[in-house]
Structures are given as C-alpha cells and as structure tokens.
Amino acid sequence: MGLRSIKEIFITGHGPSSSHTMGPHFACDYILKKYHDIQSIKVTLYGSLALTGKGHLTDYIIDLSLKKYPHEIIFDKETVTDHPNTMTFEVVTSKGTFSENVVSIGGGSIVTVDNFLDTKHKEIYPHMHMTEIVKYCEEHDYSLYEYVEMHEDKDCFNYFKDVLKTMDEAVNRGLNATGYLPGKLKVRRKAKEMFESMKTTSLGENDVAMNVATHSFAVAEENASGGVIVTAPTCGSAGVIPGCIQYLRMKHVSDENIIKGLMVAGLFGIICKMNASVSGAECGCQAEIGVACSMGAAMIAHCFGKCTVDIVQSAEIALEHSLGLTCDPVDGYVQIPCIERCALFAIKAINAVKLAVIIPDDDIHVSYDDSVKTMYLTGIDMNAKYKETSLGGLAEIIKDEE
C-alpha cells in the first residue's frame, strides 16, 4: 500500500467548503455519469452535511448540479452514519430505482462503491509514512522534491504552476473586493481595507505579519464568497498557503522554487489524508488548518534550502501544536473563525520553520508520523459538537448571545 498523487491535495473549485460543496458537486457528477435515463433523484444528507449544509451552500451546489432533473434534498439531522459526511442518492430511472451512498472525505474527494474498489490503482508511491520516505531518501541521496518528482507524472510541475496561478488570481480578487460575505452573519470583506491601511502604518509594507495576514484573508474571503480557490488541503484552510507564498515572495524566492515547494507540501498533505484525515467533520479543524499549517511550514523550509530533517521537523512542529483544534463555524458559514484562522496559522507555519532550524537534530523526540497518528486519534475522541456541526464551541456561544 502506498500514497496517492499529491494532486489530490490541491484541487481547484468553488468554495466555501471542499467537503460540503466540492464533494457533493463531484458526487452529483458521479451519479449523473453512472445512471442513465434518470427520471428523478432524492438526495439525503446526514451528519455534518445535514447540520451545516445550509451555511456551507450544500443545497445550492446540489440544486445547481442536478438542475436538469427533478430532485429533492433532505437534511436528516437524526440518523447516525459511519462517516459524518455521508449522502444517499435514490435514483429513479426507466429501469428501476437505485440507492447508493457517497461519502465526502474532505479536500473535495469522495468515496463511492466504484472508486473505493479501485483505490489501489491510484497509489503511485511505494511508501505510506514520512519515516519510510526519509529513510529511502537518505539511502538514495534524494531530496523530498526529487522523491515527489520521481513518482508523479511528467505533467506535475505544470499542474502546480497552474495551482500557483489560481492562488494568485484568488489573492488579487480578494484584495480588490468589497461588500459583505454571503449569509446572515453580515461579515464585511476586510482584505482590501487591511491591505490599504497596511501601507499607512508605521511598520509599513515590509511587515511580514501584515503581508501574510492580508493575503490569507483575501483568499479565505474569496472562498467564503463561493469564489474559485485551490484546496490546500481543504477550502476552509485555503488561505494558509497563499499567505506563506507572500512571505516567500517578500524573501525574493522565485516562482519556480515556490512551485517545487508546493509539491513538497503536497507530500505532507497526502500523508495526512491517507493516514488520518483532512476533514473537519471527521477530526475537527486540526485536520484542516493544522494540516495546512504543516504543509506551509514544509514549503517554506524547502524554499529556504533546508535539509530533509529540518523540512520534516518544521512540518511536525506546525502539526503537533495544532492538535486538538476544534471546528466550530458560526451558523455553519466558513467565515468565523475560519478566515482569521487562516492568517494566524500561516504566520505559525513561518515560526515553525524558524524553531525547527535552531532545535538540534539529535534532540527530536516526536516524528511527523507520530503527530499524524495523534491528530487522527484526537479527532476520533473529539466530541461531535466540535466537528463541523455548529453545535458547540464558538458557534454555540455566539448563537446564545444572539
């Protein structure tokens, strides 16, 4: 058993949620391609999809995807399923009625009866864990980027060139947008105002935290408004990597090196996705923002020419100190606390690298794989209120105040 392609971590699509909008959209596409002569479709949403689907625009994307067919959407908030992002499609065709479950596992990926059976054909790496990868690279004198380049297809660099372009476009739109984000929270778009005010402060345009924050805000606000962004590894955490990229550009890192850094970051993301989770509904926000933070740290460390040990340690520090982070979006919108969280954890990724390079290599006690496993076990133990249901945490407090 080995890892699947890192391209799975960086998927372009509309926000605000990889699991609640992208996943259902891809699920509808799957159903429409599989069944023919469709007369009607009933979609039943369970768990987190049912509890926060309205705020995540799940019903909107399903309506849009199935607009050519008579369809019904049911939000079942009572039935318990094995995975919190489960949907059942009941498809009526000229040949009979068919029922099929589809699970949105985060990052825009879905699991169906068909592709679950074919998963083994998508594995392109010989290893599953970072410890194995580091050992292999040391034995063969490969960098992590060379390891990725060796196993991905020849088009991978160009794929990530497009990823960077899409991220830059999202930043530019976000820095020029005004008004309010969708929904009843009436959250004002602030990235443009923040960027303009940054120029007039005493710290000015050279301040790292301000630059990172404004660029993270820009993409997170684009995501919240349903704009086109890139999952990294999810929609809700899509602002972290662009913030880190702005930091690298402030340090005059070339786009070519940034693209290679994105590919290295993808390796850490796919390890988390396949050995644990990148779904807030399954493991809380540690699986989204925490993983994004570790990916950002790995990218920065690579771009600064750090050795493999320091790259891995940077990512480990970022993930380890994101453990236990809950997913409690207010009213189910990917706005509060999600947008600010993207900015803060982009800055955290930078600091994780700075810490990793001064810690002696012979005093490392926690491996990246240890943190990944701990993240998953913590997520499994986490109360369901804190896993993208909007039933606990900040979502509950603000609701009570209103």
Side-chain angles (χ1 to χ4, degrees), residues 10 57 76 92 94 125 127 149 173 180 201-202 213 224 321 346:
F10 295 88
L57 306 183
D76 185 341
V92 179
S94 59
Y125 291 87
H127 307 106
E149 185 183 38
R173 290 195 307 272
Y180 290 82
T201 65
S202 58
H321 299 292

Side-chain angles (χ1 to χ4, degrees), residues 158-174:
N158 287 331
Y159 180 92
F160 278 87
K161 186 176 181 180
D162 289 338
V163 164
L164 180 60
K165 180 175 181 289
T166 303
M167 287 181 172
D168 286 343
E169 290 170 347
V171 168
N172 290 333
R173 290 195 307 272

Side-chain angles (χ1 to χ4, degrees), residues 333-387:
Y333 296 102
V334 192
Q335 299 174 14
I336 303 173
C338 319
I339 295 172
E340 287 184 4
R341 196 167 280 179
C342 281
L344 285 170
F345 279 76
I347 295 168
K348 184 173 182 176
I350 297 168
N351 290 330
V353 177
K354 293 180 178 180
L355 182 58
V357 297
I358 62 173
I359 294 178
D361 291 348
D362 60 357
D363 197 42
I364 297 173
H365 296 280
V366 182
S367 71
Y368 189 73
D369 296 323
D370 290 336
S371 284
V372 172
K373 184 175 181 180
T374 303
M375 184 263 285
Y376 182 68
L377 294 175
T378 301
I380 296 302
D381 289 340
M382 191 179 290
N383 190 300
K385 294 193 303 181
Y386 304 111
K387 293 194 281 189

Side-chain angles (χ1 to χ4, degrees), residues 279-297:
S279 168
E282 188 174 15
C283 286
C285 200
Q286 58 173 354
E288 297 196 35
I289 284 287
V291 175
C293 186
S294 74
M295 289 168 56

